[in-house]
Amino acid sequence: MTSQETAEIESPTKAVLDSAGASMAIASALFTALQAKHAPTAFHCLRVGQNITAWGLFHNLPMAQLTNFEVLGLLHDIGKIGVPERILQKPSKLTDEERAIMAVHPKVGVEILRSAGLTDSIVQSVDCIGEWFDGTNATGVASKLPFASRILAIADAFDSMITEQRYRKRLSKADALAELIKKSGTQFDPKLVHSFVAVAEKYDSKLHEAVQQRWENHGFIENVVRLFSHENILQYGGVATNSLTSIFHHRLTDHMNDGVIFIDTEGKIVEWNRAAEALSGRSRSVLCHQQWHPELIGMRDESGAEIQSTACPLRDVLATSRFNVRRLSVQHRDGSRRAIQVQFMPVNDDRGVLRGAAMIFDDITRQKNLEQAVQHLHQRASRDPLTKVFNRAELNLQLTRFTELAASRTMPVSIIICDIDFFKRINDTYGHAAGDEALVTFASILKECARSSDLVARYGGEEFVIVCGDCDADSALQKAEEIRKTIAATPLPVLRGKCLSASFGVAQIIPGESGQDTINLADSALLRAKQNGRNRVELGCPKQDERPAPVDQAEPQASSTWLQWLGNRTVDRSKTCDILTSVPQEIAIQKIGGFLDDWQAELIDSEDDKITVRLDTRKAPQYARLTDRDACFTLEIKLQEVEYLPDDERVAAKMQTMITSCLKTTSRRDRRLGNINELMQHVLESMNRYLVGEIVDDKKRQCIRIHSRR
């Protein structure tokens, strides 16, 4: 230090000594006003003042001079009283105009302190806030910068760096000191930086106790002590805590697993516990005493739309005093989004007067969008060895629980079935290795386009299924169309740069229907997509009026259809048909199994490729309404592997499965055969919806070559 600076410290003027005594009440009142305006700023000023105390005690600064510096630290931001509330409480970054308004606060502080009668040295030091030691950022020259301003600048910058801000993470103590050293000689006085760093590095319990004792003995600081605990408030030594009563309060809330936020009736945050810190990534020291806004934590509703302040549920509680529970999401500071279930509730005193509102929230990210089910699925699911997506067996295992979880959370669930078009041509033209690579690429595109909460599985052959939780039919249609376009625009090297195409069927689970019902509905839509030209998306509609019409209402058709071969209204106790489906026998058996499960069929006989079962309408109430009394049937089902060789040379031959079904009544005394025929028709129609096949007429039969099963 220079001799002039030493003299300034050792020989305080009479005005300084007077300010240390007569102005204490004014200083206390001004600080209380600042705390009422913006508590985070007051808290910062208090820490700066105590850091200056530690520095002054370490260097044996005269007590009167030290008191003058402490008052300066405590009130250096008093001008922020004149900054508009909207700027002080703004949760986002300030605009250039707002920063210009904020920069005026030292001038406002000068007027307040001068009007309060504080010393010229304090007023002058506040007037120099923002000026640099070397004069590059100052209105005057370096030699005119007061000594008190230079130590204030260092203590002020140090506390700002080690305190977490809304849009800047806190620095460690070592990093903050290194930054002070880096800026010494330009922004800061290098000699004072050296002395300040020495205090920070040698700060011990003895000095800490001395600082505590001095601040406890300050007459003007009684209100400060009530507002903030002296214990651990120094940033040299640790993190600030609140009063003794608040310590118990914080201990309670900080040990809760749920996040807790309290706001007062003015909308200011008065509590932000550790669980809330962990969920949001935002510190309590930053957000407490700030004005509450949903954008502080990126709050959104279930649809993903941002929640505006005017529609905030927490503010609604203040207006209505009504309890509310909602599912929302918040954005962590690292950018990730977390799903939460929130209870919004009013907080009343013993007289029933509203004192604020509370938000208690639970992190349900694992449950949201069925992620918990999918994560569990990943732990124990088996995968298709080629494409690495889940296989058919695991899909069947998880489908019921997947849809039940969705139903219990009132979430829509949709199913997408897709099939590579003309896949056999790929194998015939480019080889089976190319076909395998095409399947791998196809599955990879499905996984990339699907969400993390979706289930992608190989259904069989070139057919895949995507189960989409929290997704209605319209969203699933959009997703399927997006996948279709991606596939059609992705060239494959193994296909010499050509692209695949695929057909899609989409269906949404309807209450009361199983997941398998929805797969069947989507499978029907997939067949319709293929019949309508392939490389398209079709929606499966579950409405009764959109199912095939009864025989007596059907229009005559030129080609062979379901209704033609079932259209014979003559009395007959049996009906037989052949159905041709493109899936392998193993998949056809699984589809038939789903149909028989719905009927709770009773097995009568089983052979190599043939089974006989008993069907009873009492076990399938959805069909009983079609007849006036209970009815029983026997159903014989035979499967054969065939090769379909169409006359059209442009259509390649394809291995398919033919299912021969014979349905018979078990009673010859039935007097309502008309009803029975209609019921038998619906039974076979139901089975065909599971198989998604084509009826074999005489023309098709000539193109079929039967193979023995391998």
Side-chain angles (χ1 to χ4, degrees):
M1 301 181 188
T2 66
S3 58
Q4 181 181 356
E5 292 167 352
T6 303
E8 181 182 349
I9 294 175
E10 294 180 349
S11 302
T13 64
K14 183 178 184 300
V16 171
L17 294 174
D18 290 342
S19 69
S23 301
M24 294 306 178
I26 295 176
S28 179
L30 290 175
F31 181 82
T32 302
L34 178 61
Q35 189 274 336
K37 173 71 174 184
H38 193 234
T41 298
F43 206 177
H44 160 71
C45 289
L46 181 60
R47 293 193 300 266
V48 170
Q50 291 196 331
N51 285 338
I52 290 176
T53 299
W55 171 81
L57 291 176
F58 185 84
H59 291 291
N60 296 317
L61 201 69
M63 292 300 101
Q65 186 69 38
L66 179 55
T67 299
N68 205 39
F69 286 3
E70 289 167 338
V71 173
L72 173 62
L74 195 67
L75 300 178
H76 73 278
D77 277 342
I78 190 67
K80 289 186 178 179
I81 287 178
V83 176
E85 188 85 5
R86 61 180 176 82
I87 296 179
L88 289 177
Q89 301 289 356
K90 186 176 181 180
S92 56
K93 293 182 179 179
L94 300 181
T95 64
D96 292 341
E97 180 183 357
E98 290 167 338
R99 280 195 294 271
I101 295 174
M102 181 69 81
V104 178
H105 81 81
K107 301 299 181 184
V108 178
V110 166
E111 296 302 320
I112 294 174
L113 296 176
R114 182 177 288 123
S115 300
L118 294 185
T119 64
D120 290 340
S121 62
I122 292 179
V123 173
Q124 184 181 6
S125 296
V126 171
D127 194 28
C128 293
I129 288 176
E131 297 186 4
W132 284 24
F133 172 73
D134 64 359
T136 57
N137 195 37
T139 56
V141 295
S143 60
K144 296 296 184 181
L145 194 62
F147 178 75
S149 295
R150 283 176 267 163
I151 188 60
L152 172 66
I154 295 170
D156 188 13
F158 178 72
D159 182 74
S160 295
M161 286 189 287
I162 65 175
T163 303
E164 187 173 354
Q165 308 294 333
R166 281 176 291 180
Y167 289 93
R168 176 177 56 77
K169 291 185 177 181
R170 63 185 297 271
L171 297 181
S172 66
K173 175 181 170 182
D175 289 342
L177 294 175
E179 188 67 18
L180 290 177
I181 294 172
K182 179 180 177 182
K183 296 295 180 63
S184 64
T186 55
Q187 186 174 353
F188 307 115
D189 184 331
K191 292 181 180 180
L192 289 182
V193 167
H194 178 76
S195 67
F196 190 89
V197 170
V199 176
E201 291 178 342
K202 297 178 182 179
Y203 188 86
D204 55 17
S205 59
K206 184 177 180 180
L207 181 58
H208 178 69
E209 291 174 2
V211 173
Q212 288 189 42
Q213 186 65 38
R214 177 169 173 80
W215 279 78
E216 286 179 0
N217 292 336
H218 272 315
F220 74 95
I221 211 65
E222 291 180 0
N223 290 335
V224 177
V225 173
R226 286 200 297 269
L227 293 170
F228 306 105
S229 170
H230 57 268
E231 183 178 4
N232 293 331
I233 203 163
L234 280 168
Q235 293 302 314
Y236 285 134
V239 180
T241 62
N242 285 345
S243 66
L244 184 60
T245 302
S246 296
I247 289 176
F248 290 102
H249 173 76
H250 289 311
R251 293 282 182 177
L252 175 62
T253 58
D254 281 347
H255 283 79
M256 294 176 61
N257 293 326
D258 294 337
V260 177
I261 298 174
F262 292 157
I263 67 171
D264 61 20
T265 53
E266 299 300 321
K268 288 186 179 180
I269 301 169
V270 295
E271 179 57 77
W272 191 279
N273 74 342
R274 288 183 180 178
E277 287 184 326
L279 188 63
S280 66
R282 292 163 176 85
S283 171
R284 170 167 50 203
S285 62
V286 175
L287 294 181
C288 271
H289 308 291
Q290 298 289 335
Q291 198 73 17
W292 164 255
H293 296 281
E295 59 190 285
L296 282 174
I297 54 176
M299 185 178 286
R300 295 184 179 180
D301 61 22
E302 286 186 282
S303 68
E306 293 183 1
I307 296 180
Q308 303 299 322
S309 295
T310 54
C312 177
L314 203 55
R315 290 186 176 275
D316 183 63
V317 172
L318 294 178
T320 65
S321 296
R322 288 199 301 264
F323 178 86
N324 190 10
V325 178
R326 288 186 61 179
R327 287 189 176 180
L328 307 168
S329 69
V330 297
Q331 187 172 25
H332 192 273
R333 191 165 187 171
D334 63 12
S336 63
R337 185 155 288 279
R338 313 290 176 85
I340 58 174
Q341 179 164 294
V342 193
Q343 299 179 58
F344 299 95
M345 61 186 68
V347 177
N348 300 317
D349 62 17
D350 294 340
R351 295 175 298 171
V353 177
L354 183 68
R355 295 299 184 184
M359 183 169 78
I360 302 176
F361 50 85
D362 180 30
D363 186 352
I364 59 167
T365 306
R366 292 180 179 272
Q367 294 86 2
K368 182 68 176 177
N369 295 332
L370 307 179
E371 286 182 2
Q372 185 176 23
V374 174
Q375 288 173 0
H376 181 66
L377 184 62
H378 277 285
Q379 295 174 0
R380 57 185 297 275
S382 58
R383 294 181 177 268
D384 176 65
L386 175 63
T387 62
K388 307 305 179 185
V389 299
F390 297 115
N391 60 21
R392 173 66 183 275
E394 191 62 26
L395 171 65
N396 290 340
L397 181 64
Q398 295 295 332
L399 187 58
T400 299
R401 184 174 61 171
F402 210 93
T403 54
E404 284 178 353
L405 182 59
S408 67
R409 298 182 181 279
T410 64
M411 289 182 180
V413 175
S414 296
I415 293 177
I416 302 172
I417 295 183
C418 48
D419 196 342
I420 299 177
D421 295 332
F422 304 112
F423 182 71
K424 188 174 185 300
R425 292 183 184 178
I426 297 176
N427 288 329
D428 294 343
T429 305
Y430 303 99
H432 288 279
D436 289 347
E437 185 63 28
L439 287 171
V440 171
T441 302
F442 186 78
S444 176
I445 293 174
L446 296 182
K447 289 192 293 184
E448 289 175 0
C449 294
R451 303 167 303 174
S452 61
S453 59
D454 296 338
L455 172 66
V456 181
R458 188 177 180 184
Y459 199 58
E462 65 273 23
E463 196 171 25
F464 292 79
V465 169
I466 306 174
V467 183
C468 306
D470 198 12
C471 179
D472 58 19
D474 290 338
S475 299
L477 280 171
Q478 295 176 6
K479 175 60 67 176
E481 182 62 22
E482 175 188 337
I483 297 172
R484 186 195 67 79
K485 291 179 179 179
T486 302
I487 292 169
T490 305
L492 274 65
V494 294
L495 303 185
R496 302 170 192 167
K498 295 182 179 179
C499 302
L500 296 172
S501 71
S503 302
F504 294 78
V506 175
Q508 179 179 337
I509 291 183
I510 303 301
E513 293 191 0
S514 66
Q516 187 61 53
D517 290 333
T518 308
I519 286 183
N520 298 334
L521 195 59
D523 216 359
S524 300
L526 172 61
L527 176 62
R528 193 161 59 252
K530 288 182 172 293
Q531 293 172 340
N532 291 337
R534 293 182 168 85
N535 192 25
R536 61 187 294 121
V537 179
E538 294 284 350
L539 174 65
C541 182
K543 294 181 180 179
Q544 182 67 33
D545 57 359
E546 297 187 19
R547 293 178 179 174
V551 172
D552 54 0
Q553 299 177 13
E555 296 280 340
Q557 301 289 331
S559 60
S560 177
T561 66
W562 232 179
L563 298 179
Q564 280 184 313
W565 70 267
L566 289 175
N568 184 4
R569 302 292 290 174
T570 59
V571 174
D572 193 357
R573 293 185 176 87
S574 67
K575 290 185 179 294
T576 303
C577 72
D578 291 328
I579 302 172
L580 194 64
T581 180
S582 60
V583 301
Q585 283 195 36
E586 290 77 7
I587 303 301
I589 290 173
Q590 293 178 8
K591 292 187 175 187
I592 292 173
F595 165 74
L596 297 180
D597 284 344
D598 280 354
W599 269 91
Q600 301 183 40
E602 176 186 351
L603 181 65
I604 297 176
D605 190 19
S606 175
E607 300 178 11
D608 220 2
D609 288 327
K610 177 181 176 182
I611 62 171
T612 304
V613 297
R614 187 191 315 278
L615 308 180
D616 190 337
T617 57
R618 288 172 295 183
K619 297 181 179 181
Q622 66 268 37
Y623 296 105
R625 61 181 176 79
L626 298 174
T627 185
D628 295 335
R629 60 185 181 83
D630 298 331
C632 295
F633 308 94
T634 58
L635 175 64
E636 295 178 356
I637 303 174
K638 182 178 180 181
L639 286 80
Q640 294 177 295
E641 190 175 54
V642 301
E643 185 175 14
Y644 182 56
L645 304 166
D647 294 334
D648 190 349
E649 296 180 355
R650 295 173 297 177
V651 181
K654 184 175 183 180
M655 296 301 298
Q656 297 190 351
T657 302
M658 186 168 71
I659 301 95
T660 300
S661 304
C662 180
L663 185 66
K664 302 177 181 179
T665 61
T666 59
S667 174
R668 294 181 174 272
R669 301 177 61 185
D670 203 313
R671 290 171 296 180
R672 295 185 176 91
L673 291 175
N675 295 114
I676 292 298
N677 282 337
E678 183 179 356
L679 178 57
M680 293 170 69
Q681 171 185 324
H682 279 273
V683 171
L684 293 175
E685 284 178 348
S686 174
M687 191 170 100
N688 188 49
R689 283 197 295 272
Y690 276 85
L691 293 170
V692 192
E694 297 180 89
I695 304 304
V696 178
D697 56 12
D698 292 338
K699 183 177 180 181
K700 283 188 174 65
R701 200 178 303 278
Q702 295 174 2
C703 302
I704 292 176
R705 182 169 63 191
I706 298 176
H707 288 249
S708 60
R709 186 176 183 183
R710 301 176 192 175

